[in-house]
Amino acid sequence: MATHAASSAFIVDRIKATLVGLRMPRALEIVDVIVRQLERGEATALEAIDSLLAEELTLRENRRVKTALAMARLSTLKTLSGFDFSFQPSLDRERIMALAALTFIDRTEAVHFIGPPGTGKSHLAVALGVEAVRAGRSVHFITLADLIDALARAEREGTLRQKLRFYSRIALLVVDEIGYQPVVRGGGNLFFQLVNARYERGAMILTSNRGFAEWGEVFGDPVVATALLDRLLHHAVVVQIKGASYRLRQHADLVPEHIRSKALIHPPSIMAQPKRRGRPPKPTGAVTNAA
Ligand code: ADP
Ligand code: MG
């Protein structure tokens, strides 16, 4: 009996040394607990092997997701389970859940979330990005202003081609906040180069508080806007949110009526004709610079 105990202690030590060699810290941490369960007959040998390996895999998976989320710039954890669909009745939950299956990434589609500020566009965009990271897809989240800034800097430094290649390799590119700020001169053209490089090669999620008819104004160039929409509406899913701001939900009674009604966005029209010269007619109640 004593020899048996001594030999199993020897084997446990050897397992631990092996786990160190294999760099399996979580398995090393719990091996004693699992051995005790085995000795007390609470687990079979198969169950013991299974839980030792599963624990290690979970640790690795969590680490991978954490690193990938940071690289994707998806630091704030907005998830689909944390989204209250009952607050946003105009939103079809099933449609969002279908997007979470991520087949739109394989089809290299563009998903548009359009609606007034605070209606959960960025939340949903981030949540789908998080799902994609968990599924092992490469994701990058950036605001339109930052993206154009990065492209403009690369152009100045003579590295635009590399930058475009970098953004083209990402399976899902999330471009947040189209329309909150007017795009800088030449910015629309840089964004077009990127969209064109990714066209039918990678999926995108875009969020905007402005309808497509206003893109000419947003990008300061109706020709660029038409070319952009041509690509971004070809294989597209358009999700329009018409509800109230989640940010203001507790204070809705304090918000003056004219601001509350202003938060209603002009419905985007796929038949938009941004080719027309000059400023497109301003839709009543459009949000111009709210964020
Ligand atoms: P938008 O991008 O449309 O302006 P956000 O997605 O940033 O709005 O939402 C504003 C805030 O409200 C965020 O903190 C977001 O997580 C939260 N939020 C918005 N809608 C919901 C919702 N239906 N359920 C839970 N949280 C929500
Ligand atoms: Mg937002």
Side-chain angles (χ1 to χ4, degrees), residues 181-199:
Q181 290 170 15
V183 167
V184 295
R185 215 181 150 74
N189 196 287
L190 287 169
F191 184 52
F192 172 74
Q193 289 188 55
L194 172 63
V195 167
N196 200 37
R198 289 184 58 85
Y199 176 61

Side-chain angles (χ1 to χ4, degrees), residues 47-227:
E47 283 165 350
I49 296 172
D50 185 40
S51 52
L52 196 76
L53 296 177
E55 284 274 342
E56 184 63 36
L57 183 66
T58 305
L59 175 87
R60 286 192 188 184
E61 191 52 19
N62 289 345
R63 272 196 197 151
R64 178 192 70 76
V65 169
K66 200 171 160 216
T67 310
L69 284 174
M71 281 184 33
R73 303 202 194 170
L74 291 165
S75 47
T76 34
L77 270 180
K78 303 277 180 191
T79 57
L80 284 178
S81 56
F83 194 82
D84 179 4
F85 285 91
S86 67
F87 184 80
Q88 219 53 266
S90 75
L91 203 58
D92 182 353
R93 186 176 185 278
E94 295 314 312
R95 209 163 162 224
I96 303 299
M97 288 311 177
L99 287 172
L102 305 175
T103 47
F104 76 94
I105 297 182
D106 303 316
R107 290 193 297 263
T108 65
E109 290 175 343
V111 177
H112 298 264
F113 287 113
I114 302 171
T119 48
K121 303 181 298 292
S122 300
H123 186 130
L124 291 171
V126 169
L128 290 172
V130 171
E131 291 299 320
V133 165
R134 286 199 181 126
R137 314 304 294 261
S138 57
V139 181
H140 195 80
F141 177 95
I142 192 163
T143 63
L144 179 67
D146 284 351
L147 177 61
I148 288 176
D149 215 41
L151 293 174
R153 199 174 328 120
E155 189 178 39
R156 280 196 304 276
E157 292 167 0
T159 55
L160 183 60
R161 279 171 67 96
Q162 288 97 304
K163 202 75 184 170
L164 287 172
R165 211 175 307 132
F166 167 79
Y167 284 121
S168 304
R169 287 206 185 112
I170 293 155
L172 172 62
L173 182 66
V174 184
V175 181
D176 197 26
E177 296 188 353
I178 294 176
Y180 281 97
Q181 290 170 15
V183 167
V184 295
R185 215 181 150 74
N189 196 287
L190 287 169
F191 184 52
F192 172 74
Q193 289 188 55
L194 172 63
V195 167
N196 200 37
R198 289 184 58 85
Y199 176 61
E200 294 189 334
R201 244 176 260 160
M204 291 180 80
I205 298 180
L206 305 110
T207 83
S208 182
N209 62 333
R210 311 281 291 267
F212 298 127
E214 296 173 73
W215 277 35
E217 200 183 334
V218 168
F219 287 93
D221 184 337
V223 178
V224 167
T226 305

